[in-house]
Amino acid sequence: MKNELNAQAVSAMMQAVSLHVIANTDALTDADLAIGDGDHGIGMRRGFEAVLQQLSDWEPESPEAVMKQSGMAIMSKTGGAAGAVFGTVFRSGSKALAGVATIDAASLGDFLSDGCAAAAKRGGAAPGQKTMLDALAPAAEAARKHAPDGLYAALDAAHASAVNGLEKTRAMVATTGKARSLGERSIGHIDPGALSICLIIEAMRDFAKTT
Amino acid sequence: MAAKKILNDPRNVVSEMIEGLVLANDGRVRKLDGVDAIVRTDLPAGKVALLIGGGSGHEPVFHGFVGANMADGAACGQVFAAPSPEIVYEAAKAVHRGNGIVFLYGNYAGDNMNFDIASEMLEDDGIDVRTIRVRDDVAAAPPERMDDRRGVAGDLYMIKIVGGAATELTDIDEVERVARKAEAAIRSIGVAVSPGSIPETGKLTFELGEDEIEVGMGAHGEAGVSRQKLAPADDVADQLADALLRDLPFHGGDEVALLINNLGATTMMEMLIVNRRIRQILADRNISVHRSDVGTYLTVQEMAGFSITLMKLDAELKHFLDLPCDSFGFKQP
């Protein structure tokens, strides 16, 4: 376990994240079919395939560049609301990493937190509306709180909070996005975007554990 | 079970569809290199540009409505997914003729965000962008929450009117004024009989019982106002007409355009039977029909069902609606 990731390690982590999201395409499709139009899985796959393509054979100069380019790739290839929101998390979140040579637990918490705030602003949404924010906001908060415990511990806590947030979306009524027209009928289903957040942070945590 | 469709690799549906669409336009539109967007080949200098767009899979909306007196270009997303800011930005740059750009698209979270990001990028380049979101689906939300309403088949009349205005008017403020007036005068509602599927997943986007229909269902299978038993055409038409007429509301003496849209797999026979009833209802209420369009304009893949759109007209809207136009999906001599 390392407590600091340089640009190359962050790139390797984002490639692991991409592979994990792509491997879960069907789970994301099924989650979206229950509550939306069923395109979340293939959209996220398109976006993270673009991240893989961007990061392979590229020598990044900084962790900020890795996250920014990942965000650009997601935003240009995913499409839909997911492309705008997930692209914004990485692109805007990357600004929190300006000037740092390595990511540690504290800067990772800042990245998640700033990315979350930017995504909320872009989507005009807040936690509690059954969106990806319901997993990302608690994850960012947990990462910051557990920053003194080291990178793996912070990501492990972030993941646990994201999963807890994901489960809470089950009881929520969707009040934004395509699912809002379901109203009460959206109760009982998890939010597919929140599931994507869990997968992303899960892969980050597993990377931190084995590095 | 995967839906039955004649496709090549389902991941390539959008690019292959665009290639076929460009060819079907016989030289009047071209595809941008490396970007899923099409633009007219004969754009006059100094024209106010009209860029439309949205997710694919709803053909001929949106990209089928690029042409003379219609849109100047279209940004195409993947199936049911908004185009990325990059696609919108490149398409906007390609249609811009130095006199500003009007964005016209359906009011969906994904489209709003992606077009907004592109709009911010264009503003950084010093280009004037005006945004018109079509919000004609009365089933999506009550009138006091217009911003929660989605854009459906009313897209056609909006593109027709704004396309005409962007051709004849040289001031983008004026084009925007006409667009906002048109947008405020249009209402739609649909009914779904059976679902459509996304090519890449092969899965139906919703489930509906053998003897069920859903009134007010959205263009991606978003829940409507009520799920009910299959009923005679006249009863369904009465229900839809009632929801439409009381929403604007439309009054006796009004003059309207009437559009009956096939969501994909409904027979023309059913649509004409519905048209017959809608015309009886409008005649009973002393609402005159200036023009009617019955056909396939906004589809949801193989979804069966139809939607009804009414637009209240004045002399100016009639003028732009009646202009000749030439696009793959809609032509008017």
Side-chain angles (χ1 to χ4, degrees):
Chain A
M1 276 191 287
K2 282 186 189 166
N3 269 322
E4 296 199 355
L5 306 176
N6 65 14
Q8 282 69 33
V10 175
S11 175
M13 177 177 79
M14 282 307 296
Q15 292 179 59
V17 165
S18 301
L19 291 171
H20 192 50
V21 171
I22 293 165
N24 281 281
T25 302
D26 289 346
L28 293 171
T29 297
D30 290 342
D32 195 30
L33 277 170
I35 195 177
D37 54 14
D39 70 349
H40 187 62
I42 54 179
M44 293 299 280
R45 182 172 68 192
R46 273 194 306 270
F48 281 89
E49 279 173 351
V51 173
L52 277 184
Q53 200 173 9
Q54 169 67 38
L55 297 183
S56 58
D57 300 325
W58 179 56
E59 280 294 320
E61 64 270 28
S62 64
E64 179 190 9
V66 174
M67 292 310 198
K68 186 180 177 190
Q69 290 304 320
S70 297
M72 301 287 274
I74 292 165
M75 197 174 273
S76 54
K77 297 298 173 206
T78 307
V85 169
F86 282 86
T88 296
V89 168
F90 287 91
R91 204 169 71 156
S92 296
S94 75
K95 291 175 194 159
L97 306 173
V100 305
T102 58
I103 288 187
D104 61 8
S107 54
L108 185 100
D110 292 344
F111 162 79
L112 291 175
S113 183
D114 286 10
C116 181
K121 189 172 174 225
R122 176 57 68 191
Q129 292 186 279
K130 202 176 181 101
T131 69
M132 53 90 85
L133 297 174
D134 291 310
L136 183 53
E141 197 185 324
R144 284 186 142 179
K145 190 175 157 198
H146 290 269
D149 308 338
L151 186 62
Y152 171 75
L155 278 166
D156 193 42
H159 179 250
S161 295
V163 170
N164 186 41
L166 170 70
E167 274 310 311
K168 284 184 180 165
T169 64
R170 211 180 275 283
M172 292 177 187
V173 177
T175 54
T176 185
K178 278 178 188 163
R180 71 168 179 254
S181 61
L182 280 171
E184 301 281 318
R185 280 198 256 174
S186 62
I187 294 174
H189 301 287
I190 56 163
D191 176 68
L195 177 56
S196 283
I197 290 291
C198 290
L199 293 170
I200 290 166
I201 295 176
E202 182 176 45
M204 288 179 169
R205 178 200 63 181
D206 293 349
F207 182 87
K209 189 176 188 177
T210 55
T211 299
Chain B
M1 193 184 74
K4 207 173 181 179
K5 290 187 186 184
I6 298 176
L7 299 169
N8 301 310
D9 183 343
R11 286 181 173 217
N12 299 335
V13 286
V14 172
S15 58
E16 291 180 2
M17 176 270 298
I18 292 175
E19 219 179 304
L21 174 65
V22 167
L23 293 167
N25 272 277
D26 297 321
R28 289 165 301 185
V29 307
R30 66 183 173 94
K31 182 186 177 295
L32 296 187
D33 283 344
V35 180
D36 288 337
I38 63 166
V39 297
R40 282 173 62 188
T41 46
D42 57 345
L43 275 173
K47 178 186 184 302
V48 174
L50 173 61
L51 181 71
I52 58 175
S56 293
H58 301 298
E59 290 72 27
V61 148
F62 282 89
H63 26 278
F65 297 141
V66 174
N69 281 346
M70 297 286 279
D72 297 323
C76 316
Q78 290 293 316
V79 175
F80 300 171
S84 69
E86 184 185 40
I87 298 173
V88 177
Y89 177 78
E90 294 298 332
K93 288 289 236 186
V95 296
H96 188 233
R97 287 294 176 274
N99 202 7
I101 307 175
V102 175
F103 282 177
L104 175 66
Y105 55 89
N107 184 40
Y108 295 88
D111 293 286
N112 297 351
M113 285 188 258
N114 285 285
F115 275 88
D116 278 354
I117 295 169
S119 171
E120 291 158 16
M121 291 159 68
L122 291 159
E123 276 159 22
D124 287 346
D125 295 345
I127 295 175
D128 189 355
V129 178
R130 311 294 171 90
T131 293
I132 308 293
R133 294 173 179 156
V134 184
R135 305 169 297 178
D136 55 326
D137 189 351
V138 305
E144 61 273 18
R145 288 196 288 120
M146 280 299 285
D147 281 343
D148 285 345
R149 287 187 172 181
R150 308 171 287 243
V152 286
D155 288 338
L156 171 64
Y157 282 164
M158 288 300 298
I159 295 164
K160 181 84 185 65
I161 286 171
V162 184
T167 305
E168 291 197 340
L169 306 174
T170 52
D171 181 350
I172 193 169
D173 289 337
E174 277 294 285
V175 178
E176 184 182 359
R177 178 189 61 77
V178 171
R180 297 213 181 277
K181 179 163 77 172
E183 200 270 322
I186 196 162
R187 296 291 186 274
S188 301
I189 190 168
V191 58
V193 176
S194 68
S197 65
I198 296 183
E200 205 170 330
T201 63
K203 292 181 179 173
L204 298 170
T205 59
F206 59 91
E207 284 169 19
L208 209 48
E210 277 285 295
D211 59 344
E212 278 182 331
I213 57 174
E214 180 146 341
V215 171
M217 181 166 275
H220 312 85
E222 299 100 327
V225 284
S226 74
R227 192 165 275 216
Q228 54 198 59
K229 291 286 176 207
L230 193 59
D234 285 0
D235 294 351
V236 176
D238 288 354
Q239 193 182 349
L240 299 182
D242 181 57
L244 277 186
L245 291 170
R246 65 183 149 81
D247 193 85
L248 189 62
F250 295 86
H251 297 293
D254 284 351
E255 204 171 359
V256 298
L258 166 64
L259 184 148
I260 300 185
N261 172 59
N262 184 352
L263 289 166
T266 289
T267 62
M268 181 55 88
M269 178 178 273
E270 290 164 87
M271 307 238 303
L272 291 170
I273 290 168
V274 169
N275 184 47
R276 163 192 165 274
R277 181 60 171 190
I278 297 290
R279 293 299 291 261
Q280 287 172 356
I281 296 167
L282 295 176
D284 284 350
R285 302 208 185 193
N286 193 32
I287 295 170
S288 65
V289 177
H290 171 68
R291 64 178 283 152
S292 45
D293 298 281
V294 181
T296 304
Y297 308 110
L298 183 151
T299 61
V300 190
Q301 294 290 289
E302 71 274 39
M303 188 194 284
F306 58 87
S307 64
I308 300 170
T309 299
L310 282 177
M311 181 178 221
K312 185 176 169 178
L313 301 174
D314 64 8
E316 186 178 45
L317 294 179
K318 264 198 278 189
H319 168 76
F320 291 122
L321 198 53
D322 291 345
L323 284 180
C325 73
D326 186 12
S327 68
F328 166 77
F330 195 75
K331 294 183 200 322
Q332 189 162 297

